[in-house]
Amino acid sequence: MRTMGLSLTLLGASLGCSRHAPAPTMRPADFPLGERFPALPPRPRSTAGGAFMRAWSDGRAELSGYRARVNRYGELREAELVLIYVTEPMDRRTWVKDDAAPAEHRVNVLKLNASLKFQTGVYPYSVMTSVFAPVDRYRAEAFSPVKITLSAQEWCGHVFHGVWPGDERATEQVMSYFAEEGERRRDVPTPAGTLYEDALLIQLRELDGPFSGGVDWRGSLVPSLWSIRRAHTPTAAVEATIARSRAQLDGKDVHRFVLRYGEVTRTFDVEAEGAHRVLGWRGSDGEEAHLLGTARLPYWQLNHQGDEARRALFGLGDEVPARDAGAPR
């Protein structure tokens, strides 16, 4: 196993959204549903590298703002998208964040919250997708997720969709206001090595080694929960490919990844150097996203009047500060 630059045991104590008071101690018996989650191997195949740990254990989150277009009801809508990456500890018995999780049950993850907001006619949409990917490698591909959740709110109602991936199955739970969906929990067959489209915004960044060993990938993939939500289709693994190449984007060297499954094509451009930010993507359905700016901030502390001006640091303010807001800090 590779050695780490910093102790994972200490990682979660200072990172992520902090609490003002310790959470009450909870027992696994308090979470009977957790017993039915797919099991994670007892030990990782390898541990996170020192360079990754040094970059991601500074007590801050990385926030990237995007100008985006999303396809809804057959029309493209202008959208605001923010990707929030931060490391935090989870308890493997429950797969919830727990700063006090004992060492034998603690799994430190890189969490991605993707916050999407857009307008449809008179009413707005707010969609949050969260991906929880262990920083240590438990499965063949680095940052294979242990939990993915989506919540969507609009004026008709709100929906929750959660997926807990395993080696040969994923467990999903849906809570919906639609009668034909209702509330359900079921297992979804997934071949070994199945990827999840929602996790690609972590994995394609290659933060701790090359994706797919640096070569093209072919296998099974579960489409994004947001695409499943819009199509009202069952969750299922599909055959997919990801081809990689080198390219130039606005004078920058990028790794270009082209995802294909069914009639879907999605092209991602990722910085070849530096922080390996996702510079943008575009899809065969007209959807696209373009990076506006990035900042590293303890955003959970910036919740006071006047802190709104900090949004300019990652491209979403009315006026971007004079210094380069496009580089992470």
Side-chain angles (χ1 to χ4, degrees):
M1 290 188 180
R2 289 175 289 176
T3 58
M4 295 178 292
L6 296 173
S7 170
L8 279 177
T9 303
L10 299 176
L11 175 66
S14 61
L15 303 188
C17 299
S18 58
R19 295 179 180 271
H20 294 291
T25 301
M26 297 182 181
R27 305 179 307 277
D30 295 328
F31 299 91
L33 293 179
E35 298 173 3
R36 299 202 292 273
F37 293 150
L40 187 71
R43 286 176 293 276
R45 302 182 182 196
S46 61
T47 53
F52 173 85
M53 293 300 300
R54 287 189 293 273
W56 287 93
S57 58
D58 63 354
R60 296 180 292 176
E62 180 193 275
L63 297 90
S64 289
Y66 293 80
R67 180 180 67 255
R69 292 200 300 174
V70 61
N71 200 322
R72 192 68 179 120
Y73 305 124
E75 298 180 67
L76 290 171
R77 322 286 179 151
E78 298 298 319
E80 173 190 286
L81 174 67
V82 184
L83 301 185
I84 305 110
Y85 297 85
V86 68
T87 49
E88 64 185 27
M90 300 185 81
D91 190 320
R92 64 184 296 153
R93 297 169 296 179
T94 60
W95 290 129
V96 297
K97 180 179 184 293
D98 188 350
D99 293 325
E104 65 269 25
H105 300 302
R106 175 184 295 243
V107 174
N108 292 291
V109 303
L110 179 60
K111 178 179 71 176
L112 165 62
N113 281 340
S115 173
L116 176 68
K117 297 181 183 296
F118 60 94
Q119 194 80 15
T120 55
V122 299
Y123 63 95
Y125 261 82
S126 179
V127 182
M128 173 77 85
T129 303
S130 297
V131 181
F132 304 84
V135 301
D136 294 335
R137 186 183 297 231
Y138 283 85
R139 296 191 168 102
E141 193 60 57
F143 298 107
S144 292
V146 293
K147 179 180 178 180
I148 304 170
T149 59
L150 173 140
S151 59
Q153 301 84 40
E154 37 91 4
W155 285 4
C156 295
H158 57 121
V159 172
F160 170 84
H161 188 180
V163 171
W164 291 261
D167 289 326
E168 297 180 353
R169 69 178 175 95
T171 297
E172 75 165 349
Q173 183 167 342
V174 175
M175 303 179 72
S176 171
Y177 60 85
F178 284 113
E180 62 269 26
E181 295 171 342
E183 299 185 3
R184 67 174 187 271
R185 184 182 180 94
R186 72 183 184 102
D187 285 341
V188 179
T190 56
T194 294
L195 298 186
Y196 291 78
E197 185 176 5
D198 285 313
L200 292 181
L201 289 174
I202 295 176
Q203 292 172 314
L204 297 184
R205 293 186 63 180
E206 303 183 307
L207 295 170
D208 195 25
F211 169 75
S212 186
V215 299
D216 293 350
W217 174 88
R218 177 184 296 271
S220 63
L221 174 135
V222 173
S224 72
L225 299 191
W226 176 227
S227 66
I228 292 171
R229 168 87 256 125
R230 288 177 293 174
H232 296 283
T233 55
T235 304
V238 300
E239 289 301 308
T241 62
I242 300 176
R244 63 184 299 149
S245 62
R246 294 294 292 260
Q248 284 267 319
L249 181 68
D250 299 329
K252 287 178 178 273
D253 289 329
V254 299
H255 291 138
R256 180 161 290 167
F257 299 91
V258 180
L259 167 68
R260 291 187 175 91
Y261 62 90
E263 298 180 354
V264 174
T265 300
R266 221 176 300 285
T267 301
F268 301 87
D269 287 323
V270 181
E271 285 179 317
E273 305 295 338
H276 296 269
R277 297 173 299 166
V278 180
L279 299 179
W281 60 90
R282 57 190 180 279
S284 51
D285 56 0
E287 291 195 344
E288 59 184 2
H290 301 279
L291 181 66
L292 298 172
T294 301
R296 293 187 69 88
L297 298 168
Y299 68 86
W300 49 91
Q301 299 173 5
L302 304 176
N303 50 23
H304 303 290
Q305 294 286 351
D307 285 336
E308 296 84 358
R310 303 288 190 101
R311 287 168 57 85
L313 294 172
F314 47 97
L316 296 185
D318 294 331
E319 183 177 344
V320 178
R323 69 174 187 249
D324 177 17
R329 295 172 178 79

